[in-house]
Amino acid sequence: MKMTGAQIICESMVKEGVDVIFGILGGAILPLYDTLPQFPQLRHILARHEQGAAHAADGYARATGKVGVCFATSGPGATNLVTGIANAHLDSVPMVAITAQVSRPFIGKDAFQEVDITGITLPITKHNYLVSDVGSLPRIVKEAFHLARTGRPGPVHIDIPKDVFTDEVEASYPSRLDLPSYKPTLRGHPSQIKKAAKLINEAQRPLILAGRGVNISGAYDSLKKLAESAQIPVVTTLLGIGCFPESHILSFGMVGMHGMAYANMALDATDVLIAIGMRFDDRVTAKVSGFAPKARIIHIDIDPAEIGKNVRVDVPIVGDVKTVLRELNKQVESTQHVDWFEQLDNWRKEHPSTDIRDSDGVLPQYAIRKIYDITKGEATIVTGVGQHQMWAAQYYWYDKPNTLISSGGLGTMGFGLPAAIGAKIGCPDATVWCIDGDGSFQMTMQELATIAQERAAVKIAVINNGYLGMVRQWQELFYDRRYVATPLSSPDFVKIAEAYGIPAVQAERREDVAPAIERAMAEDGPFLIDFRVEPEENVYPIVPPGAALSEQLEAPAKEEAVWQQRNTL
Ligand SMILES: Cc1ncc(C[n+]2csc(CCOP(=O)(O)OP(=O)(O)O)c2C)c(N)n1
Ligand SMILES: [Mg+2]
């Protein structure tokens, strides 16, 4: 049967299981949008900015494990997607981004809304395509979805000239793929797995450091089995949060720049580090020469490019985390590490990193802990970037995979609200809270209109400290308190929400916090709380930039030490 390029794309997406597309249309992509009504299986969500569409597709993908899809028109529509694509790239999120290009005869002529978008997205995608002929579309769409979701997932971008949407061809969807140079290694090398098992079996102070790869691979049960059978404590990266239940006795929380003090101390002391589905990001390692100095390191990751990139590794295992862990579990003996646990428990008692001090005003940590209490720890939390993001990681505890959705690698302010929309659309039964900063929220708050139009029941907690807080904290600690360009004025967020038809309240005092959250939960639809929090609260622990994990600074009571540390940097 003859089909247009636009029909081929829609039909292919239905075959790939796509049910939601986030996007904004324009002249060049009109033929594709014009075809959408022929495919009622495809629900289109109109964003208010293409960055919002890309982040929504990203949040959808992280919450569901499926490929997120976004559309944008040529030129500015396409360039507006760029931050969202880069964000997905750095956090290994499966996404297919489809942009329109000017018609083929106009390419290279600086035509209206022409931009070389595949040139721009080349370094921030797993793969990209500029489609030159309608006959190649079925193959390209099939490849794109396959590449996005397999191996180390990532964004794939397809740029399609306007006249390709309307060209017709006799088309059928290919049943097989022909990608000879793309064969991700799934099974780890048996002799490497054997070496790893031996190291683990001989370890005195083993430690598992789990990252987002565990979440992606669905290796929750296999990781739990490894930890429990050999009694190995588990710490995670920011994006690994939820891949191991944080209420588990073996869980010792997040590591890194704002990790738990005792988790960072565990990294300092471990003799065998089992790093799983993580990439030794600099926010995790801090100064590399001071990272896990006593450990032999086993690194399990699906991407061979990550092995030895940042940190020297003793036993590399390239493979899918779940597949490798299943093999490893057969060879790891059940043991106890009584002394090691006693040591870790003591550190946890001596260095409690999530205590909340008393205050009449609203402490951000308190507001987040109350969201935890009232949602019984069962919500999906989506964050912006900054202090509130770190508090959301520290003061809410996550027991299920993919329940903390946060921009890790790119650290994109503005990610929170649109990603929360994507998460809620993808998982309508989940309670989704967007914990955002006043700065981050203002970067994409136009998506309140998307929430209102779709009646997406996202609960929004703006941690409003009147500052670009994380940067202010750095200025306080490392730039002699020179607050250049960090004080931030905001509109009245309650009025803003109400203008979109979204109910909202302000919480100014400690006693306002719980009732506001209860009210948000009681509401069927979306709700916003403007938490007026202590403006100069800091995130602790903090490993100063350039320092090693062992040089972390702990609590406000140790402010003196902070100043001393700063002066020696
Ligand atoms: C798009 C973008 N621009 C700038 C930054 C640098 N930056 C990191 S955190 C931060 C402050 C965030 O402020 P806010 O959202 O209010 O969160 P807070 O730290 O106050 O909780 C800034 C400006 C960034 N991460 N992303
Ligand atoms: Mg702020």
Side-chain angles (χ1 to χ4, degrees), residues 375-394:
T375 60
K376 303 187 177 67
E378 283 167 4
T380 294
I381 304 292
V382 188
T383 76
V385 167
Q387 293 181 308
H388 63 281
Q389 174 190 30
M390 293 300 121
W391 287 316
Q394 295 174 331

Side-chain angles (χ1 to χ4, degrees), residues 385-388 411 413 437-440 443 465 467-471:
V385 167
Q387 293 181 308
H388 63 281
M413 288 172 71
D438 43 346
S440 294
M443 288 212 178
N465 53 10
Y467 280 109
L468 296 167
M470 185 58 94
V471 186

